[in-house]
Amino acid sequence: RNNTVDKIDLGGTSIVLVAGQLFKDGSTDGSGASAMFSSPSGLALIGSDLYVSDTNNSTIRKISVSSGAVTTVAGTTNIAGTDDGKGVNAHFNLPTQLAADPNGSRLFLTDSNNDTIRMIQIPDMVVKTVAGQAQTEGKVDGGSSKSSFTRPRGIATDGKFAYISDTGDNIIRKMDLSSMTVSTIAGTGEEGDKDGAGTEAQFNNPGAMATDGSTLYVLDADNHSVRKINLATNEVSKLTLVNGHIGSGCVLSKDGKTLYFSDTTENAIQQVDTTSGNVTPLYPRQ
């Protein structure tokens, strides 16, 4: 809601504005504080380029981390649509979370109001719909011409699969990136709070996700919990409970030992030890 992209050092001692203007929304490209965003949400880092879902502008922006220069690389500002294509010829409708292929060749994103999953080739910025049917809600598994979602939000990838929070259906989906075939790995589709086998587990408004390839972490927003899914068995368990509302963003440390997540109730970034489940604030420190 500040319409900015910020950087926090991992010691939790400082926060620096990278791009955007505090309390002002817009779509202007530029450098650092001269650029403007409108409710930016998802982030994905590829090399020294930070890609941003500029949600309310229905665009994808790129920030050069070294210079702070912001450019619009896909979508057209305030023109919602479903079109595939290159760069500004493509259209989105409230794109939310982003996930980068580990080799840096692709971005995957949840195009929430289109009920689809989109893929962007890097660096040519060709956009393609790879799962879901545009503006058609559902929870059908299958290939790209058949699968359906309901307002998907979270997405994470290990390069072989993309994992998707099918938020409106309260289920977690998996997409095989070799065939773009979608399957459901956890959740009954009924709103609830239940651990156990994937087919028996329940979620309530699942959002942002992160994975190390063996475990999938899910911010289960309205259950106020961070959930874990064992990707070998699809077993669901709770890592920790939190007081605030979560779900809008998370990232896993390179060693997989710490999950950082946004806590919108506390206006804070929290960190949780993925082994113990202990939660401590990253910023601001308490």
Side-chain angles (χ1 to χ4, degrees):
R1 290 177 182 172
N2 281 337
N3 294 312
T4 60
V5 176
D6 302 324
K7 178 174 69 176
I8 299 170
D9 74 280
L10 292 181
T13 58
S14 67
I15 184 169
V16 177
L17 185 143
V18 175
Q21 297 184 30
L22 197 62
F23 307 134
K24 295 181 180 179
D25 61 4
S27 58
T28 307
D29 287 339
S31 184
S34 66
M36 300 179 76
F37 299 86
S38 184
S39 294
S41 53
L43 299 171
L45 187 65
I46 297 179
S48 61
D49 292 324
L50 182 65
Y51 292 88
V52 183
S53 282
D54 195 2
T55 301
N56 282 4
N57 281 326
S58 288
T59 57
I60 306 301
R61 317 285 291 280
K62 182 176 76 172
I63 304 174
S64 169
V65 174
S66 58
S67 68
V70 179
T71 53
T72 301
V73 293
T76 304
T77 301
N78 294 325
I79 299 180
T82 62
D83 302 298
D84 289 339
K86 185 173 182 177
V88 296
N89 293 319
H91 295 97
F92 305 91
N93 192 348
L94 301 186
T96 310
Q97 296 293 320
L98 292 171
D101 193 313
N103 67 15
S105 64
R106 297 177 292 185
L107 278 174
F108 297 93
L109 64 96
T110 49
D111 196 5
S112 295
N113 264 25
N114 278 332
D115 303 306
T116 55
I117 310 303
R118 316 290 290 277
M119 180 181 73
I120 305 176
Q121 295 283 357
I122 304 296
D124 58 9
M125 304 311 296
V126 172
V127 179
K128 182 179 180 180
T129 302
V130 293
Q133 312 308 309
Q135 298 178 350
T136 301
E137 296 182 352
K139 51 184 177 182
V140 178
D141 289 337
S144 57
S145 63
K146 181 181 178 182
S147 59
S148 59
F149 300 83
T150 303
R151 299 182 304 281
R153 285 207 341 244
I155 191 164
T157 185
D158 59 8
K160 294 181 179 180
F161 300 97
Y163 300 94
I164 300 124
S165 287
D166 190 356
T167 306
D169 289 318
N170 289 305
I171 55 178
I172 307 301
R173 318 287 290 278
K174 178 174 77 172
M175 181 170 64
D176 186 327
L177 297 183
S178 65
S179 63
M180 302 304 177
T181 300
V182 175
S183 57
T184 300
I185 62 170
T188 64
E190 296 296 322
E191 183 180 293
D193 184 9
K194 184 179 180 182
D195 290 337
T199 54
E200 300 174 0
Q202 293 180 326
F203 300 86
N204 190 353
N205 196 21
M209 303 194 299
T211 186
D212 59 6
S214 59
T215 302
L216 180 67
Y217 298 90
V218 182
L219 300 190
D220 195 9
D222 286 349
N223 281 327
H224 305 285
S225 62
V226 180
R227 313 284 289 278
K228 294 196 306 181
I229 302 177
N230 182 323
L231 292 175
T233 64
N234 295 336
E235 186 83 9
V236 179
S237 59
K238 282 186 181 63
L239 175 62
T240 191
L241 290 167
V242 296
N243 291 325
H245 191 275
I246 61 175
S248 60
C250 68
V251 66
L252 195 63
S253 62
K254 288 183 178 180
D255 62 11
K257 294 180 179 179
T258 306
L259 182 74
Y260 302 94
F261 63 92
S262 58
D263 184 337
T264 55
T265 300
E266 300 294 331
N267 292 316
I269 304 301
Q270 311 279 13
Q271 54 190 346
V272 55
D273 184 305
T274 57
T275 300
S276 67
N278 291 334
V279 178
T280 55
L282 174 67
Y283 193 91
R285 293 288 193 185
Q286 293 180 350

